[in-house]
Amino acid sequence: MKLSALLALCVVGLASFTEGYKIQKASVVNCRSSPSTSGKVVRTYTSKDNISLSCQTSGTNIKGNTLWDKTTHGCYVADYYLYTGSNGYVAK
């Protein structure tokens, strides 16, 4: 998927995310260069980290969830592993 198309899929208006979210269902999660399990791992987060988001988009299906969260570090974590309080897009 081209970067411009990927950016177009990002939910607009999520810049209001100031709180961090905790990971769930794992002790460590990978943050990838794209919303796909084939994206390069660019950093990892542990269960102690608070993860802030800049937007959300769809990507590789992880256990029935295709939503991926773009962090303020510029990489993507599968929403399946973040506790956002919703299985869908969230906005504050």
Side-chain angles (χ1 to χ4, degrees):
M1 181 180 285
K2 291 185 178 184
L3 181 58
S4 60
L6 180 61
L7 293 176
L9 292 174
C10 256
V11 174
V12 177
L14 294 183
S16 64
F17 281 179
T18 56
E19 296 179 39
Y21 295 100
K22 293 288 192 179
I23 66 169
Q24 64 179 355
K25 302 176 185 171
S27 57
V28 176
V29 296
N30 293 324
C31 198
R32 298 180 176 274
S33 60
S34 64
S36 169
T37 54
S38 62
K40 180 182 174 186
V41 175
V42 294
R43 87 180 281 140
T44 58
Y45 293 107
T46 70
S47 58
K48 296 179 183 180
D49 293 322
N50 286 315
I51 303 168
S52 296
L53 307 178
S54 60
C55 71
Q56 295 176 291
T57 190
S58 59
T60 301
N61 185 321
I62 305 295
K63 301 192 182 211
N65 188 338
T66 60
L67 189 59
W68 285 68
D69 305 318
K70 186 174 183 181
T71 72
T72 54
H73 293 116
C75 53
Y76 296 86
V77 174
D79 188 71
Y80 174 82
Y81 294 109
L82 280 186
Y83 181 75
T84 60
S86 173
N87 285 333
Y89 290 95
V90 295
K92 298 212 180 229

